[in-house]
């Protein structure tokens, strides 16, 4: 009787003993992973808030990028590292077809001292040549990334005939360079939460293709996040071994600083789980501190404890 009364919620010949009655409007609970997880969490008086880990961009979105590349001769991606989440960018690249991506000549990163350390390691996960430009500040309060990247795009267009430009940024300031290069072909990779409606309307008005990187599934980027956190910890250990300074000895604060340096953000519950996982894997068993002889002096060095 239970099955027959709710059979419209299940695919043919499938049944789950669910802790909650369905509404007629719920429809097929196994329509996709996101719907299933949202209903499952709700049935247990909770809310699923990590849709980016299970839902990938629509095929139409990917096809729009492929169509842009197929009509291009020389293509490069220019990334505003100040205004782009490295993991959203990485997830976008990892969820696209390698054969199509091989048409991109290079990725040029314009980085600032205040961005995520993940940009230092992005070459570990992409198969496209990467050029990283560290943009120094003249004034501590003023970034020069925007103007330097604008000049770089113009140079690539006029000097190297880079006629197709993929611009990764949600910053409306780059509308200026799009307008000043009317003969260039542009595709914009932006992020939903960072992009103003005004710039979206302008892109649509001038028929400039754009897509949200935050719509690409994050599952393939999780190992990269772990690697960036690990490399951040190793960097601190190396700094201690060279200078004797480790920074904070407060474990919770250390984890917070590592996550901040890595630029990892997300739903609070998800971040707390990731912090707990990182603690259990690398910090729970402590470090190995041992004396080492260097140039006749005996000094302490730290190593990660290896199980």
């Amino acid at each position: 009787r239970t099955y027959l009364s709710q059979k419209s919620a299940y695919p043919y010949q499938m049944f789950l003993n669910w802790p909650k009655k369905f509404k007629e409007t719920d429809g097929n609970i196994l329509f996709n992973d996101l719907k299933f997880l949202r209903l499952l969490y709700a049935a247990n008086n909770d809310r699923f808030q990590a849709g980016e880990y299970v839902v990938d961009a629509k095929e139409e979105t990917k096809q729009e990028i492929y169509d842009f590349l197929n009509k291009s001769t020389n293509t490069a991606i220019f990334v505003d590292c100040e205004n782009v989440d490295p993991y959203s960018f990485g997830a976008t690249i990892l969820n696209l077809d390698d054969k199509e991506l091989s048409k991109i000549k290079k990725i040029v990163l314009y980085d600032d001292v205040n961005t995520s350390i993940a940009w230092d390691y992005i070459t570990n996960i992409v198969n496209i040549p990467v050029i990283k430009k560290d943009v120094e500040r003249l004034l501590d309060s003023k970034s020069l990334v925007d103007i330097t990247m604008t000049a770089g795009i113009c140079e690539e267009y006029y000097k190297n005939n880079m006629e197709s430009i993929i611009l990764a940024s949600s910053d409306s300031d780059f509308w200026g360079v799009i307008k000043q290069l009317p003969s260039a072909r542009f595709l914009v990779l932006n992020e939903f939460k960072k992009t103003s409606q005004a710039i979206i309307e302008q892109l649509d008005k001038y028929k400039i293709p754009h897509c949200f990187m935050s719509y690409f599934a994050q599952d393939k980027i999780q190992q990269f996040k772990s690697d960036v956190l690990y490399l951040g910890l190793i960097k601190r250990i190396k700094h201690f071994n060279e200078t004797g300074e480790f920074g904070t000895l407060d474990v919770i604060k250390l984890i917070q600083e590592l996550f901040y340096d890595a630029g990892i953000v997300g739903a609070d519950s998800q971040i707390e789980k990731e912090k707990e996982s990182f603690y259990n894997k690398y910090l729970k068993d402590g470090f190995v501190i041992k004396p080492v002889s260097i140039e006749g002096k005996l000094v302490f060095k730290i190593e990660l404890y290896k199980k």
Side-chain angles (χ1 to χ4, degrees):
R1 180 193 293 178
T2 303
Y3 171 70
L4 291 175
S5 66
Q6 299 184 29
K7 67 178 183 178
S8 63
Y10 306 105
Y12 180 62
Q13 291 187 338
M14 295 186 70
F15 178 74
L16 295 175
N17 183 17
W18 201 259
K20 176 187 175 184
K21 287 187 177 180
F22 292 101
K23 305 172 192 174
E24 285 297 320
T25 54
D26 284 341
N28 183 351
I29 66 168
L30 297 181
F31 180 73
N32 60 47
D33 291 344
L34 181 60
K35 183 173 184 178
F36 176 78
L37 287 166
R38 282 177 174 168
L39 288 171
L40 177 62
Y41 273 61
N44 290 278
N45 300 313
D46 200 352
R47 183 182 175 193
F48 181 68
Q49 303 182 67
E52 66 272 18
Y53 293 94
V54 295
V55 181
D56 196 14
K58 295 179 180 179
E59 284 305 316
E60 303 94 278
T61 300
K62 295 181 181 181
Q63 191 58 52
E64 189 167 33
I65 297 174
Y66 299 152
D67 289 344
F68 179 85
L69 293 174
N70 288 329
K71 294 174 183 176
S72 303
T73 303
N74 290 320
T75 309
I77 302 178
F78 298 86
V79 184
D80 170 12
C81 297
E82 275 190 316
N83 221 284
V84 171
D85 176 70
Y87 307 106
S88 291
F89 178 76
T92 300
I93 298 298
L94 292 177
N95 280 288
L96 293 172
D97 182 71
D98 285 339
K99 184 179 178 181
E100 299 291 345
L101 290 175
S102 67
K103 300 167 186 174
I104 299 172
K105 304 292 185 183
K106 58 187 172 183
I107 297 172
V108 187
L109 307 177
Y110 289 84
D111 201 9
D112 180 76
V113 66
N114 293 323
T115 65
S116 166
I117 62 171
W119 292 116
D120 294 333
Y121 309 112
I122 203 78
T123 54
N124 294 355
I125 60 168
V126 300
N127 294 320
I128 305 168
V130 175
I131 299 171
K132 186 169 180 290
K133 296 180 180 288
D134 295 313
V135 183
E136 296 183 359
R137 295 188 173 205
L138 292 180
L139 299 174
D140 290 342
S141 60
K142 182 65 175 176
S143 167
L144 297 175
V145 164
D146 289 1
I147 188 64
T148 306
M149 181 165 156
T150 297
I153 291 172
C154 292
E155 181 180 21
E156 287 288 342
Y157 176 74
Y158 287 112
K159 185 178 178 180
N160 298 324
N161 299 316
M162 198 64 69
E163 40 79 32
S164 294
I165 295 161
I166 299 177
L167 179 59
S169 178
S170 302
D171 194 335
S172 61
D173 288 349
F174 288 108
W175 179 248
V177 73
I178 294 174
K179 287 291 289 178
Q180 290 304 312
L181 297 177
S183 299
R185 301 178 63 251
F186 281 92
L187 182 148
V188 178
L189 300 176
N190 45 16
E191 294 172 74
F192 182 76
K193 292 182 180 179
K194 297 179 181 178
T195 307
S196 69
Q197 186 59 34
I199 189 63
I200 292 175
E201 290 174 0
Q202 286 297 104
L203 293 171
D204 289 339
K205 179 181 177 180
Y206 287 90
K207 294 182 172 54
I208 295 171
H210 58 94
C211 66
F212 295 120
M213 292 179 282
S214 32
Y215 284 1
F216 287 80
Q218 295 273 317
D219 56 323
K220 294 181 180 179
I221 206 70
Q222 293 310 299
Q223 184 57 53
F224 179 58
K225 285 185 179 181
S226 298
D227 291 345
V228 172
L229 287 167
Y230 170 77
L231 290 167
L233 177 59
I234 292 300
K235 185 176 180 180
R236 285 192 175 231
I237 291 174
K238 183 179 178 181
H239 181 71
F240 171 83
N241 290 338
E242 291 174 350
T243 67
E245 299 173 358
F246 189 73
T248 182
L249 296 178
D250 183 321
V251 176
I252 302 302
K253 187 177 179 182
L254 172 62
I255 294 174
Q256 289 174 340
E257 289 179 357
L258 289 171
F259 270 72
Y260 177 81
D261 291 342
I264 296 176
V265 295
D268 290 344
S269 58
Q270 182 65 33
I271 292 297
E272 287 307 311
K273 289 178 182 176
E274 291 184 20
K275 287 180 177 179
E276 182 180 1
S277 175
F278 181 78
Y279 168 77
N280 289 333
K281 187 171 183 178
Y282 295 114
L283 301 177
K284 186 176 181 179
D285 294 318
F287 299 135
V288 175
I289 302 177
K290 60 183 181 181
V292 176
S293 178
I294 299 178
E295 297 179 353
K297 294 176 63 176
L298 205 58
V299 297
F300 282 109
K301 296 288 183 180
I302 291 180
E303 292 179 1
L304 273 182
Y305 178 80
K306 295 180 181 179
K307 297 180 181 180

